[in-house]
């Protein structure tokens, strides 16, 4: 089932992702752009991504299975902040159906 | 080495190995007071960790175990299907595998070697299948 997102919600999700990495990695928000590489430039890791996902779960009440998400990420890895924003929007929109969605 | 097949002491064939390391303090539960990542840690695993003198060590070892298992099998699986119940006095642990992960990953058993040093946890996971053909 697909959930329609308002522009405000999309902005909120983008802000949440950028703010999350800024806080976790101790980096000024202004230094984070869509093409910022999470591992190489921010020293982020899988645990950080899971913590972000937990925040998304709580905030938007989504229940995507990690196995489904891992399957999706093996096909289409997300290494930049912009890609994670895009992925997070897709998770909130599609939940477990994300594995069938062409991003 | 004369053979490409390694065996465990239970007669299974070694299918693969994975290693992962993490900082224990990242799993500090003081803020949440409970399971820090419910999608990752099963209720049984979390209950076990919360009963330990140092819950963060239990969560950290369990997390490293799942990551190391993933590296060994290179297939997505449900994290709740791969559990480690840390015994701080033991170095070697049997990994508790659910039926789905056994079937989908072709794994019969897995064992984890857990070590802590200077606030870091390192887990090495050995994954076994019934026969080398299951690899």
């Amino acid at each position: 089932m697909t959930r329609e997102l308002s522009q405000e919600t999309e902005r909120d999700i983008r802000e949440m992702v950028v703010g999350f990495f800024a806080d976790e990695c101790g980096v000024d928000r202004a230094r984070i752009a869509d093409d910022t590489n999470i591992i190489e430039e921010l020293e982020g890791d899988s645990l950080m991504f899971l913590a972000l996902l937990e925040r998304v779960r709580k905030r938007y009440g989504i229940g995507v299975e990690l196995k489904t998400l891992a399957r999706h990420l093996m096909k289409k890895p997300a290494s930049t902040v912009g890609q994670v924003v895009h992925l997070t929007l897709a998770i909130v929109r599609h939940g477990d159906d994300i594995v069938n969605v062409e991003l | 080495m004369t053979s490409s097949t390694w065996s465990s002491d239970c007669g299974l064939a070694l299918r693969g190995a994975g290693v992962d390391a993490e900082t224990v303090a990242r799993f500090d539960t003081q803020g949440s007071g409970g399971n820090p990542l419910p999608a990752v840690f099963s209720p049984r695993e979390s209950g076990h960790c919360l009963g330990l003198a140092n819950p963060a060590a239990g969560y950290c070892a369990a997390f490293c175990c799942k990551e190391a298992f993933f590296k060994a099998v290179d297939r997505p699986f449900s994290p709740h299907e791969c559990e480690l119940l840390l015994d701080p006095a033991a170095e070697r642990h049997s990994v508790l595998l659910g039926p789905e992960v056994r079937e989908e990953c072709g794994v019969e058993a897995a064992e984890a070697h857990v070590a802590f040093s200077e606030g870091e946890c390192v887990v090495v996971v050995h994954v076994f299948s019934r026969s080398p053909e299951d690899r």
Side-chain angles (χ1 to χ4, degrees):
Chain A
M1 202 174 83
T2 302
R3 179 196 287 195
E4 290 297 323
L5 301 182
S6 65
Q7 283 189 339
E8 189 185 342
T9 304
E10 288 188 11
R11 264 199 309 273
D12 183 54
I13 289 171
R14 170 175 288 276
E15 281 300 302
M16 184 181 65
V17 172
V18 173
F20 175 84
F21 284 114
D23 292 346
E24 288 287 318
C25 303
V27 175
D28 195 312
R29 273 175 184 246
R31 278 192 51 211
I32 299 179
D34 270 6
D35 63 353
T36 302
N37 188 292
I38 294 165
I39 295 173
E40 291 171 9
E41 295 176 66
L42 300 180
E43 297 182 4
D45 58 17
S46 57
L47 179 56
M48 225 175 257
F49 179 71
L50 289 166
L52 171 65
L53 190 64
E54 185 56 30
R55 198 172 287 191
V56 173
R57 277 175 187 279
K58 283 182 182 164
R59 192 143 166 180
Y60 296 99
I62 52 109
V64 67
E65 285 284 330
L66 288 182
K67 186 170 80 171
T68 307
L69 195 53
R71 202 174 283 150
H72 176 83
L73 284 168
M74 285 178 92
K75 281 197 300 187
K76 198 173 172 77
S79 52
T80 66
V81 171
Q83 286 168 338
V84 171
V85 169
H86 197 55
L87 177 66
T88 308
L89 287 166
I91 290 169
V92 177
R93 273 197 194 104
H94 304 290
D96 270 334
D97 285 339
I98 193 171
V99 79
N100 301 315
V101 174
E102 200 62 49
L103 294 178
Chain B
M1 192 166 71
T2 57
S3 169
S4 61
T5 303
W6 290 14
S7 297
S8 68
D9 50 13
C10 53
L12 298 169
L14 180 66
R15 181 181 184 277
V19 62
D20 197 64
E22 196 48 79
T23 305
V24 174
R26 293 185 73 186
F27 294 85
D28 191 355
T29 55
Q30 283 181 343
S32 64
N35 190 340
L37 295 169
V40 175
F41 303 112
S42 70
R44 171 167 63 173
E45 218 167 23
S46 183
H48 176 81
C49 292
L50 292 171
L52 295 172
N54 183 0
Y59 283 119
C60 187
F63 180 80
C64 290
C65 176
K66 293 171 203 287
E67 290 267 298
F69 183 85
F70 177 68
K71 290 170 184 171
V73 298
D74 197 27
R75 286 189 196 185
F77 61 92
S78 297
H80 289 191
E81 288 254 319
C82 172
E83 301 170 293
L84 177 82
L85 306 182
L86 179 70
D87 174 357
E91 186 190 317
R92 187 168 153 175
H93 295 71
S94 285
V95 181
L96 305 177
L97 300 174
E100 191 183 293
V101 76
R102 284 173 191 266
E103 173 70 25
E104 291 182 2
C105 299
V107 169
E108 189 63 26
E111 64 178 34
H113 294 256
V114 182
F116 291 94
S117 177
E118 297 179 0
E120 300 286 319
C121 173
V122 180
V123 176
V124 178
V125 169
H126 293 110
V127 172
F128 300 96
S129 57
R130 191 158 291 284
S131 69
E133 288 73 34
D134 290 340
R135 281 183 280 186

